[in-house]
Amino acid sequence: MWNAVSFGYFNGFQVANDIRFEMLQFADDMTLIYDGSKENLWCIKAILRGFDLVSGLCIILSKSLIIGAHLEDHVLFAASSFLGCLVGKLSFMFLGITIGGNHRRKEFWSFVISKLKKRFRAWSGKHISLGGKVTLLNLVLNSIPIFVIFFSKAPKCILEKIFKIQ
């Protein structure tokens, strides 16, 4: 991928004058970020096919998503057909974080609140000492919102809900 970018075969998405994103990777998850050009689609297909041949691993494109922002539907569906993947929606989860949502809206944070409530309910019926509950609170109930807040600024009303649960 880096060679394709350095040789000019793949053009990522320009964020600022000197900042361009091509991909994000973590373990077996990869997100490619690019403009909607067909040259980039050919490059992606060639890179993925090359990876298949060199590694012996098979990428299951039928489980993969292509998501477009500011692209016409027919372009997105043509790209989906060309790559053999599904069309997804812009608001999606990547590594436990909602991508494409509006972090200023309460709905954006509903998954964090529900995750905290679910964890808290699971512990309330258990026979855990007070010290154990405090440890769980500090380790888990603090880490979930901190991870998401690292990427998006939470509204005051959401922070108040999180503090109330904690």
Side-chain angles (χ1 to χ4, degrees):
M1 186 67 183
W2 287 309
N3 284 341
V5 171
S6 64
F7 291 128
Y9 297 127
F10 186 84
N11 295 315
F13 184 74
Q14 188 83 29
V15 178
N17 289 339
D18 57 345
I19 300 173
R20 179 179 289 274
F21 283 110
E22 289 88 23
M23 71 177 171
L24 302 170
Q25 285 184 299
F26 182 78
D28 64 345
D29 286 334
M30 179 171 61
T31 301
L32 297 173
I33 305 164
Y34 68 98
D35 61 4
S37 70
K38 56 185 167 188
E39 291 81 13
N40 279 336
L41 281 175
W42 274 104
C43 185
I44 289 169
K45 193 164 192 165
I47 288 171
L48 294 177
R49 180 66 180 138
F51 177 80
D52 281 350
L53 294 172
V54 171
S55 69
L57 301 172
C58 182
I59 297 171
I60 304 171
L61 287 171
S62 61
K63 291 184 176 180
S64 300
L65 297 175
I66 185 165
I67 300 167
H70 307 294
L71 285 176
E72 295 178 19
D73 287 343
H74 73 277
V75 173
L76 196 58
F77 285 111
S80 166
S81 176
F82 178 72
L83 292 175
C85 59
L86 302 171
V87 175
K89 295 183 180 180
L90 185 57
S91 184
F92 63 96
M93 296 292 282
F94 182 70
L95 302 177
I97 299 170
T98 303
I99 306 294
N102 186 350
H103 68 272
R104 289 181 229 118
R105 296 187 158 270
K106 291 179 185 178
E107 298 86 37
F108 179 87
W109 295 92
S110 63
F111 80 97
V112 175
I113 300 297
S114 64
K115 199 183 266 191
L116 289 173
K117 286 180 179 178
K118 182 179 168 185
R119 291 287 173 103
F120 185 73
R121 272 191 234 114
W123 299 331
S124 62
K126 304 279 183 191
H127 299 289
I128 302 173
S129 67
L130 180 61
K133 287 183 182 180
V134 170
T135 302
L136 284 172
L137 177 81
N138 287 334
L139 292 176
V140 178
L141 292 186
N142 286 339
S143 65
I144 292 170
I146 287 173
F147 178 68
V148 180
I149 290 171
F150 181 75
F151 296 98
S152 303
K153 185 178 178 183
K156 188 176 180 180
C157 63
I158 296 298
L159 292 175
E160 289 170 356
K161 279 185 181 181
I162 290 171
F163 294 147
K164 186 177 180 180
I165 293 168
Q166 291 173 338

